[in-house]
Structures are given as C-alpha cells and as structure tokens.
C-alpha cells in the first residue's frame, strides 16, 4: 500500500480524516488506485511509475505522496453526500493537477526514477521536441 493514514494527516485534519474514513475500505482503496493512475497518466511517458508507487517509507517522493493523498481525498469527498470541505479539496486537487501538468510539460523536474527498457537502458531523454506548424503557400 503506497499511502498510509499518517500520510493523510499532512493534508487533512484528524477530525475530517475520521469523517472521510467512515467510507468503506473499498471506496478508499478505489480512490487511492484512481489517484495513482491519474498521476501515472501524467508521469508515464518519462518516469517509471511502477517504481514510484512501489517505493516504501522514506524512499517515496514526498510530493507524489502528498498529491496522491489530495487526489484520493478529492475523489472520496466527491462521493460523500455532504461534500465536507469540497472547496478546499477542489483547490488542492487543481494544484496537484497543475503540478503534474508542469512535470509533463518538462517545466518541473521531480526526483523520480525514469523509465528503462528490458536491458536497463534509460528510454526517457527528458527532452521534449516540438515544431512549428508547417507553412502552406497556396497561391
């Protein structure tokens, strides 16, 4: 399990965590899995997501842990009828997505393991290539 109860305490108070934790273990597990997949969808082209989410304890990237908690809480609270703290959760969710988009665009370079092929060779260059749209000269 990548996320623990202690990890949540960084982003949500004890009382609120107890309320959110009253949802079933299955809902929490699904929300955490969805959060991990959402994060992986941004990081997968360059980073080794299996290694990122397989890491334990202090070997985990603290920002990934925090954003995984934020996104999972956003999904859990969205499913609750009272939407407890929905505004704060939405803001933290949007901040997590903005950070992930920055990583995906190459503007933010986190300390994460990069992808490797079967021989162990790094397949991610970290270089993003773009080009301008082709010119069309139809006279």
């Amino acid at each position: 399990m990548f996320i623990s109860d202690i990890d949540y305490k960084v982003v949500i108070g004890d009382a609120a965590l107890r309320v959110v934790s009253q949802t079933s273990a299955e809902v929490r597990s699904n929300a955490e899995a969805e959060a991990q997949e959402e994060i992986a969808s941004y990081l997968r082209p360059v980073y080794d997501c299996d290694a990122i989410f397989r890491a334990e304890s202090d070997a985990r990237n603290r920002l990934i842990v925090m954003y995984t908690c934020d996104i999972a809480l956003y999904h859990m609270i969205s499913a609750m009828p009272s939407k407890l703290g929905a505004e704060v959760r939405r803001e933290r969710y949007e901040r997590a997505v903005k950070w992930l988009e920055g990583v995906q665009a190459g503007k933010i370079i986190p300390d994460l393991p990069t992808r490797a092929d079967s021989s162990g060779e790094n397949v991610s260059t970290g270089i993003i290539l773009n080009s301008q749209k082709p010119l069309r000269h139809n006279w």
Side-chain angles (χ1 to χ4, degrees):
M1 181 183 270
F2 184 69
I3 300 296
S4 69
D5 287 343
I6 294 169
D7 296 324
Y8 281 109
K9 292 184 180 188
V10 172
V11 297
I12 191 170
D14 287 335
L17 180 60
R18 281 193 297 275
V19 171
V20 173
S21 296
Q22 290 178 4
T23 60
S24 71
E26 182 181 350
V27 169
R28 178 177 167 173
S29 177
N30 285 341
E32 290 172 357
E34 290 163 2
Q36 287 180 16
E37 180 56 32
E38 187 169 347
I39 290 170
S41 69
Y42 286 95
L43 302 179
R44 194 173 286 121
V46 176
Y47 299 100
D48 184 351
C49 293
D50 291 334
I52 291 168
F53 292 114
R54 196 175 39 245
E56 296 178 359
S57 190
D58 291 337
R60 301 173 302 166
N61 180 286
R62 296 306 303 166
L63 278 175
I64 296 294
V65 171
M66 181 180 73
Y67 289 140
T68 303
C69 290
D70 282 335
I71 294 170
L73 283 167
Y74 174 79
H75 291 302
M76 282 188 277
I77 289 173
S78 295
M80 294 180 71
S82 64
K83 307 276 192 255
L84 173 73
E87 185 63 28
V88 171
R89 292 292 117 217
R90 185 179 57 76
E91 288 174 14
R92 291 189 65 92
Y93 173 80
E94 289 171 356
R95 184 172 43 169
V97 169
K98 185 177 179 180
W99 182 84
L100 290 166
E101 288 171 346
V103 171
Q104 187 180 45
K107 296 176 182 175
I108 299 171
I109 311 298
D111 183 18
L112 297 171
T114 55
R115 289 184 34 219
D117 62 13
S118 59
S119 66
E121 191 69 30
N122 186 0
V123 295
S124 329
T125 62
I127 298 172
I128 299 173
L129 302 174
N130 291 319
S131 64
Q132 294 189 8
K133 293 180 182 178
L135 298 174
R136 304 265 191 245
H137 297 291
N138 296 332
W139 305 61

